[in-house]
Amino acid sequence: MLESLSTRRNFLRSTSVAGASLLLPVLAVAQQKAAPEKQKDKDGDKKDEDISPAEDLMREHGLLNRLLLIYDEHLRMLAAKRSFDGSLLVSAADIIRHFVEEYHEKLEEDFLFPRFRKAGKLVRLVDTLQIQHKAGRELTAKIRELAGTATLKYVSDGEKLADALDAFLRMYRPHEAREDTVLFPAFRKIVSPHEYEALGDDFEKKEDKLFGEEGFFRVVDQVAGLEKKLGIYELAQFTPK
């Protein structure tokens, strides 16, 4: 009888262990399914929300470059004396005003430039960049005002708009290139790793507050919509033939 009870206990113990070992993978799968997935972009790739301050600023430069292509296209139409819908150019200028000048450049002016000045590093570059920010805002106001006219009836208006677009393009391409290759790489060296990481979080929170959750991608979609209307969205068209 005792032997029978002992045998039964051993059997129950072994089946419990086996059952637990079988249950663990099932629980793991269930937990994985229950865990929130990272948001995916339209191509199915996961978006990494934990990005560094430099990466955040550089991807915003990518957005600015797409807006500069929109300016390029309007400059070509002006040179060819082709008519165009000025509202598209106004929309592009509005995105530059609100996202680039009032948000992106404000981050640089509030969080990066003072730290470089305090550290005594790249002060001359920082001063030049800030002067260019001011010049860029003046050009944006001029572009928006000229593009907002119902029609560019006067040759002088078209020439003024072309000059403003050309000046903006000529300044901002070297401006952002110098930030990407000199300022942003140096920024990591003048702040602690903890401060650097905290700034990345601060940038994301500010972006979400101003433009909503996933605000950057919302603005990218707006720019893509303008590109499609202008017929410059498809990347393949820029490949030399």
Side-chain angles (χ1 to χ4, degrees):
M1 180 70 175
L2 289 173
E3 184 178 353
S4 175
L5 287 171
S6 176
T7 302
R8 186 178 303 169
R9 288 194 193 98
N10 290 337
F11 171 75
L12 291 172
R13 189 180 296 115
S14 62
T15 54
S16 297
V17 171
S21 64
L22 290 171
L23 186 59
L24 284 173
V26 175
L27 288 173
V29 171
Q31 288 171 349
Q32 287 175 357
K33 288 183 177 179
E37 291 185 1
K38 286 185 178 180
Q39 187 168 359
K40 297 180 179 180
D41 63 19
K42 292 180 180 179
D43 295 324
D45 298 320
K46 290 182 180 178
K47 292 177 182 175
D48 186 0
E49 296 177 354
D50 297 325
I51 63 173
S52 70
E55 184 183 354
D56 198 10
L57 294 168
M58 288 172 76
R59 73 176 183 177
E60 288 164 8
H61 277 178
L63 175 66
L64 173 57
N65 265 313
R66 291 177 70 167
L67 289 160
L68 295 184
L69 286 172
I70 291 173
Y71 277 15
D72 268 332
E73 185 64 16
H74 282 87
L75 198 54
R76 274 192 287 272
M77 288 189 284
L78 282 166
K81 302 190 184 312
R82 287 171 50 198
S83 61
F84 56 82
D85 181 358
S87 67
L88 297 181
L89 186 53
V90 170
S91 295
D94 281 342
I95 294 173
I96 287 178
R97 174 192 286 174
H98 297 304
F99 191 83
V100 177
E101 296 172 351
E102 295 177 354
Y103 167 64
H104 171 91
E105 291 181 349
K106 201 75 170 63
L107 289 180
E108 294 174 345
E109 292 170 2
D110 291 348
F111 295 97
L112 273 68
F113 294 177
R115 285 174 167 85
F116 277 103
R117 290 188 175 111
K118 184 178 179 181
K121 304 288 186 183
L122 301 176
V123 175
R124 185 179 174 187
L125 172 61
V126 164
D127 288 345
T128 300
L129 293 170
Q130 187 142 13
I131 289 169
Q132 291 184 341
H133 285 179
K134 183 176 182 297
R137 288 162 192 157
E138 292 171 358
L139 286 169
T140 297
K142 187 178 293 186
I143 290 166
R144 197 190 181 288
E145 179 185 356
L146 290 167
T149 58
T151 56
L152 293 170
K153 291 181 179 178
Y154 303 104
V155 174
S156 60
D157 286 344
E159 289 175 348
K160 288 176 185 176
L161 179 57
D163 287 345
L165 290 170
D166 184 62
F168 194 94
L169 291 164
R170 181 170 173 77
M171 181 176 70
Y172 265 96
R173 286 196 165 117
H175 176 99
E176 63 179 2
R178 197 63 58 92
E179 287 184 339
D180 286 346
T181 58
V182 178
L183 193 77
F184 298 162
F187 183 59
R188 194 165 199 144
K189 298 175 184 177
I190 65 170
V191 296
S192 69
H194 173 73
E195 186 178 8
Y196 189 77
E197 183 178 347
L199 281 171
D201 294 337
D202 290 342
F203 289 3
E204 284 297 303
K205 288 175 185 175
K206 188 174 286 290
E207 182 182 291
D208 289 345
K209 182 180 179 180
L210 291 174
F211 303 102
E213 190 175 352
E214 297 296 330
F216 170 77
F217 297 100
R218 291 173 184 267
V219 179
V220 169
D221 286 342
Q222 291 174 21
V223 174
L226 296 178
E227 291 170 335
K228 289 173 182 176
K229 289 178 181 178
L230 283 170
I232 60 169
Y233 175 75
E234 293 300 331
L235 186 62
Q237 69 185 283
F238 297 101
T239 308
K241 296 182 180 178

